[in-house]
Amino acid sequence: MAEATPRVRRRDRVLLREVAEGVALGRRVRVTDIGARQTKEAPPYGALLAAGMAHVTAFEPEPEAYAALVADAREDMTVHRLAIGAPGPATLYAHKIASLTSIFPFSAPAARFLGKGFWVNRPVTEIPVELVALDDVPGLADGIDILKMDIQGAERDVIEGGRRALSECMVVIPEVRFYRMYDGEPMLAELDQSLRAQGFVLHKFLHQKSVISPSPQAKRLEKAGVRNQLLDGDAVYIRLIEDPDAVTTDQLKVLALAAASVFDSPDLCCHCLHLLTLRGAVAPDLAETFARRAVPAMDELT
């Protein structure tokens, strides 16, 4: 999670404004952020939060990161010092590079191959934690609309332990791994299977990170922009809506808002608005109005 009042792109603010009034959800979007430590960047749901349209339930087990979240928490945020995953005792490997903290230990051979040997040479503090299944977390009885996860390999365990909590969820934004960094961590294919089993489908990638394979020529090649070994990235999964009757009007409204402001999918937003129009839930011209605004916004607004 970024700072308490995130700075977001003007484009996201504009497109959200175009949809929000017409959709009239009538409540805040329920966001759950697992691995919510503060960063310099706004979270993908930053526009919703800045507009007062979201309530964020944040989870962060690392003590210092948790304290920072509590210190900056807004009235529309609830912060828990809990580690979410497969229930039971575990070890949190708190890395000197905070973003590398995980319940899985580093794979030294992987770090060396990726040219990141320093990852395994930096101090790591082992913190005993008790993992809690997402379905067992008190306070999530109202459900989740958007789930974001950045927990270095434990994403699949969260999904497997959250079938009830995620029954109404429309968007899941997990960090996904292409190359195994930690011993025993699930890879993209395994996480994808778990998400599809619960009715989600891969929609897009927000970004993908690649590194250069090490060699005596690495510095020379990197100057030319060579970085070809896929490492990880952030993906967007959405609730499968091939059968529109299987989702509620509220769920379609949430997906329209998220598509407009969370993960830059104006085409999906228009699809949802069209379905809402057929239900008589929004004005007949809302999809066209949004589309007319979205094209210049995507091109011009930053």
Side-chain angles (χ1 to χ4, degrees):
M1 179 182 293
E3 60 196 62
T5 303
R7 292 186 295 269
V8 298
R9 296 180 303 177
R10 185 180 170 214
R11 180 177 75 187
D12 293 336
R13 297 197 306 268
V14 168
L15 296 184
L16 176 59
R17 187 169 62 244
E18 290 294 327
V19 177
E21 281 192 22
V23 162
L25 181 60
R27 63 173 176 83
R28 288 177 174 173
V29 177
R30 303 165 299 187
V31 177
T32 292
D33 190 340
I34 301 177
R37 70 171 57 249
Q38 292 180 326
T39 67
K40 295 180 180 179
E41 298 180 356
Y45 54 81
L48 286 172
L49 189 61
M53 296 178 60
H55 181 276
V56 178
T57 302
F59 296 90
E60 177 53 60
E62 199 278 319
E64 291 185 8
Y66 168 77
L69 282 172
V70 171
D72 286 344
R74 301 160 45 117
E75 57 86 20
D76 48 8
M77 292 169 53
T78 303
V79 184
H80 298 275
R81 187 183 169 187
L82 285 176
I84 310 300
T91 299
L92 182 70
Y93 298 92
H95 201 280
K96 179 71 172 177
I97 304 173
S99 62
L100 299 179
T101 295
S102 175
I103 62 166
F104 296 97
F106 264 119
S107 166
R112 288 193 294 269
F113 172 75
L114 296 169
K116 305 291 184 180
F118 66 93
W119 281 350
V120 292
N121 296 328
R122 297 285 179 88
V124 173
T125 302
E126 297 186 11
I127 304 173
V129 295
E130 188 73 19
L131 295 173
V132 178
L134 188 62
D135 276 345
D136 294 335
V137 175
L140 289 181
D142 290 340
I144 298 171
D145 295 314
I146 299 173
L147 172 65
K148 173 191 166 290
M149 298 181 287
D150 187 355
I151 43 179
Q152 301 298 306
E155 288 82 2
R156 187 188 66 168
D157 290 341
V158 172
I159 297 301
E160 290 294 326
R163 293 179 180 274
R164 184 175 65 254
L166 297 174
S167 61
E168 298 179 7
C169 184
M170 293 305 290
V171 179
V172 177
I173 304 175
E175 183 180 53
V176 297
R177 191 82 67 230
F178 306 115
Y179 192 97
R180 181 169 281 119
M181 290 169 47
Y182 302 91
D183 290 332
E185 70 167 327
M187 304 297 287
L188 169 60
E190 297 161 276
L191 176 61
D192 181 80
Q193 287 181 340
S194 292
L195 282 162
R196 289 179 184 273
Q198 292 192 42
F200 296 96
V201 63
L202 180 61
H203 179 63
K204 66 183 293 186
F205 290 102
L206 291 180
H207 74 85
Q208 299 176 42
K209 180 179 179 181
S210 297
V211 298
I212 189 169
S213 300
S215 77
Q217 305 304 318
K219 289 185 178 180
R220 179 176 288 108
L221 293 170
E222 193 163 28
K223 288 181 180 179
V226 175
R227 288 189 177 195
N228 287 317
Q229 176 56 59
L230 277 170
L231 181 59
D232 55 29
D234 290 336
V236 175
Y237 281 78
I238 62 171
R239 175 71 60 187
L240 188 64
I241 55 173
E242 290 177 354
D243 177 9
D245 293 334
V247 294
T248 68
T249 295
D250 257 23
Q251 287 177 305
L252 284 175
K253 288 181 176 182
V254 165
L255 188 55
L257 290 168
S261 64
V262 176
F263 52 89
D264 286 343
S265 289
D267 50 341
L268 178 61
C269 181
C270 286
H271 179 81
C272 294
L273 294 178
H274 173 66
L275 294 177
L276 290 167
T277 301
L278 295 177
R279 295 184 182 191
V282 300
D285 62 346
L286 180 58
E288 180 180 352
T289 300
F290 172 76
R292 288 182 181 275
R293 191 69 179 104
V295 173
M298 299 293 285
D299 290 339
E300 300 170 10
L301 300 181
T302 58

